[in-house]
Amino acid sequence: MATDQQVAGIAEGREPVSGEALPGRYVVFTIVSLALMMASVDQTIVATALPSLQHDLHAQVNWSSWTITIYALGQILVMPLAGKLGEQYGRKKIFLGAAVLFTTASLCCGFASSIYMLIILRGLQSLGGGAFMPTATGIVAEQFGPERDRAVGLFSSVFPLGGIIGPVLGGLFVTYWSWRGIFLVNVPLGIILISAGAVFIPASTWRRGQRLDVRGVVLLGSTLLAAMFGVAILGDGHSPADPLFLALESAAVMGLVLFARHIVRAPAPIVSARFLVGRGFGVMNLINFLFGASVLGFAALVPLYAQQRYGLPTLDAGTLLSARGAGAIGAAALAVWLLRRTGYRWPMLIGFSLTAAGLIGMAVSPHGLSPYLWLSLAAGLTGVGMGFSTPASNNATLQLAPEQTAAVAGLRGMFRQSGAITAVSLTAAVLARSSHPSLAQAHIFVIFALIMLAVIPLLLLVPEHRGRW
C-alpha cells in the first residue's frame, strides 16, 4: 500500500521515495552495477588503445581523441533525458533499451573501417552508456529505501572497478590481438546484462505525462558540438584567429544563450533551472565540472602520456589506470562507511587535496625509482583522492531533492562529462600542435592539480548534511 507521501509524489509527477528496502535488492544492485562497470570500462579501455587507433586508422591525435570526446558528449545529452524517459515509460524499459543500444553499437564499433565511422558509432554507443547512470540510480533508490544513500555511494566503487579492468583488458587486446577487441568484449557482457535485467529488475509503475524537451536537447547538443569541433580543428593547424574557428565558437556562445533562455521559459525543460542555479546545486555543478575536467580528463590521457614520455609498453601504460582504480576502491569503501558521520565537505577536502598531489607526482620526473613504479604510485594516490571525494560528491544535493534522484544524478553526470570533454579536447589540440607532446602533457597535469586546489574554497558553499537522506 502506497503511503500518503508516495501518492502525493505520483500526483505531482515525482519519483517515489521508498519507505522500506525491497527483497531482491542486492541482485538488482549487482545487475545495474554491471552496466555501470561496462560504461566505466569503455572510457578507460579506449584510452589505452589511442596510439594503436592512430596507427591503424591513420588518424591524428586530435581526431583519435574524439573517440573519447564523442562518448562523453553523447552521455551529456542523454543523462538528463534518460531520467525523464524513465519516469514516463518506466526505468526498467529505458535501462534495458540502453543496454541493447550499447551492446549493438559496441559490436559495430569493432568492425569500423575509419576513424570517422568509429567516432559516429561511439556516439551511438554513448547514448546507451549514458542512460545507465540515471536509470540505475533511480532503480537503486527505489530498491534500498532508507539505505539508498549508502547504495548510491557504493556506485563510487563500481567506476574504479571498471578503471582497473578496462586498462588491463585494453593492454591485453592491443598487445596480443587488436584494438577491435576492446569493443567486441562488450557483446557477451551486454547479452548477460540484458537477460538478467529482463528477469530480475522489477517493472516500475511510476509515470510522468510530460512531453520530451526535444528543442532543449538539440540546443544543448549543437552548442557542445560546435564548441568541441572548434577546439578540434586547432589541432589541424588552424589558428584561433581563423574564421572557421571564430564562427564555430561564436555559434557555441549563441547556442548557450538560447539554451539558457529556453530552460527558463520551457514548461518541462531537459534541465530544470532550479537544478542549475538553485540553493546548493549551482556550486556543486561547478565543482562537478572541474572535477570531471581534472579527474576524468586525467584518466583519458595517462596511458598516452606514459607511452610517449617514458616509452612504456601498452600493457604497462594501461595498468597505471588500474593502480588508480585500486586506490579508489579502497578509499571509497571507507568513505561510504564514514559518510553519515563526516558529512560531505571533509571527504571532498581530503580527496581533492590527495588528487592534486597525485597529479603533480605524475608531472614531475621519477626520483630514484623506475618510471613505471613512480607513475603507479602517483596514479594510485589520485585514485585514493578520487575514492574519498566521489561518494560525498555523488550524494551532495541529493538530500535537497530525494524524490528526483534520477534527474539530479543525470545532471551531476552531465557536468562531469562536460568537464571531461573540455579537458580532453583542449589537451588534444595542444598536443597536436606541440613539438614536445609529453612535456606539454606534464604541464597540463600541473594545471589539473591547480584546478583541484582551486575547488577547495568552494566547499564552504556546499550544503552540509550528516545521516540518511
Side-chain angles (χ1 to χ4, degrees):
M1 181 72 67
T3 65
D4 292 341
Q5 182 184 12
Q6 289 173 317
V7 171
I10 298 171
E12 296 174 15
R14 295 182 282 117
E15 298 176 17
V17 180
S18 176
E20 60 182 16
L22 301 180
R25 59 191 178 277
Y26 294 108
V27 174
V28 173
F29 183 87
T30 301
I31 294 170
V32 299
S33 293
L34 174 61
L36 295 178
M37 187 183 71
M38 289 172 62
S40 174
V41 164
D42 238 63
Q43 288 181 327
T44 55
I45 200 172
V46 174
T48 306
L50 278 183
S52 180
L53 280 173
Q54 289 177 240
H55 179 268
D56 290 355
L57 298 180
H58 309 290
Q60 289 183 293
V61 65
N62 56 311
W63 289 114
S64 63
S65 69
W66 262 77
T67 57
I68 297 173
T69 300
I70 198 68
Y71 188 80
L73 177 60
Q75 289 183 317
I76 291 169
L77 297 179
V78 81
M79 278 181 176
L81 189 61
K84 294 198 173 187
L85 287 171
E87 294 164 8
Q88 186 169 348
Y89 299 106
R91 295 192 188 94
K92 178 177 179 177
K93 292 180 181 179
I94 302 305
F95 181 84
L96 292 179
V100 171
L101 178 59
F102 183 87
T103 305
T104 304
S106 295
L107 178 64
C108 295
C109 284
F111 295 98
S113 58
S114 71
I115 189 63
Y116 306 108
M117 180 184 296
L118 181 60
I119 289 172
I120 293 172
L121 292 172
R122 279 281 284 175
L124 293 176
Q125 186 192 38
S126 72
L127 298 180
F132 285 146
M133 172 56 84
T135 53
T137 302
I139 289 170
V140 167
E142 285 183 344
Q143 292 289 308
F144 280 80
E147 297 298 317
R148 61 186 178 269
D149 58 327
R150 286 181 171 170
V152 170
L154 278 176
F155 281 159
S156 306
S157 64
V158 174
F159 279 95
L161 182 60
I164 292 175
I165 297 172
V168 175
L169 283 178
L172 289 172
F173 282 130
V174 171
T175 301
Y176 297 107
W177 182 26
S178 167
W179 59 266
R180 299 183 185 278
I182 68 177
F183 299 110
L184 297 178
V185 72
N186 289 324
V187 177
L189 292 175
I191 293 173
I192 294 172
L193 174 65
I194 294 165
S195 303
V199 174
F200 293 105
I201 297 178
S204 173
T205 58
W206 310 97
R207 298 291 185 268
R208 171 178 285 185
Q210 292 181 343
R211 295 178 60 185
L212 297 179
D213 183 19
V214 177
R215 183 182 180 188
V217 173
V218 172
L219 282 173
L220 180 60
S222 58
T223 296
L224 293 172
L225 192 61
M228 295 303 104
F229 187 70
V231 173
I233 67 172
L234 292 178
D236 282 339
H238 294 266
S239 73
D242 190 285
L244 178 58
F245 173 80
L246 294 176
L248 287 168
E249 298 307 314
S250 297
V253 172
M254 183 178 298
L256 184 62
V257 172
L258 293 175
F259 178 74
R261 292 181 59 187
H262 170 75
I263 63 173
V264 172
R265 299 179 178 182
I270 180 177
V271 178
S272 171
R274 169 198 172 195
F275 292 155
L276 285 180
V277 296
R279 184 178 71 87
F281 289 104
V283 66
M284 277 309 303
N285 291 336
L286 177 58
I287 290 173
N288 280 321
F289 178 86
L290 298 175
F291 181 85
S294 298
V295 176
L296 301 184
F298 161 78
L301 299 168
V302 167
L304 182 65
Y305 171 70
Q307 292 175 68
Q308 288 186 339
R309 184 172 185 184
Y310 296 105
L312 295 184
T314 301
L315 185 56
D316 288 350
T319 56
L320 295 175
L321 292 181
S322 297
R324 186 191 74 144
I329 288 176
L334 177 61
V336 168
W337 183 68
L338 293 174
L339 188 58
R340 291 178 182 173
R341 300 179 182 180
T342 62
Y344 300 147
R345 294 176 183 171
W346 276 106
M348 285 194 280
L349 172 63
I350 295 171
F352 293 162
S353 300
L354 293 176
T355 299
L359 287 166
I360 293 174
M362 293 291 298
V364 301
S365 300
H367 297 282
L369 299 175
S370 69
Y372 177 75
L373 180 57
W374 177 264
L375 294 177
S376 296
L377 292 173
L381 185 57
T382 64
V384 172
M386 179 180 173
F388 267 110
S389 59
T390 304
S393 60
N394 278 355
N395 276 274
T397 68
L398 282 177
Q399 84 280 0
L400 300 178
E403 77 286 355
Q404 299 191 46
T405 53
V408 176
L411 188 69
R412 178 186 67 221
M414 185 185 80
F415 274 95
R416 286 182 183 173
Q417 294 296 341
S418 297
I421 64 172
T422 301
V424 172
S425 297
L426 289 172
T427 300
V430 170
L431 297 183
R433 297 173 67 92
S434 175
S435 57
H436 299 287
S438 59
L439 293 179
Q441 194 166 344
H443 295 151
I444 290 169
F445 284 151
V446 174
I447 294 174
F448 286 168
L450 294 176
I451 290 174
M452 282 285 86
L453 294 176
V455 167
I456 291 176
L458 297 176
L459 298 180
L460 295 174
L461 303 176
V462 174
E464 187 61 287
H465 179 78
R466 291 179 174 84
R468 296 185 174 97
W469 50 264

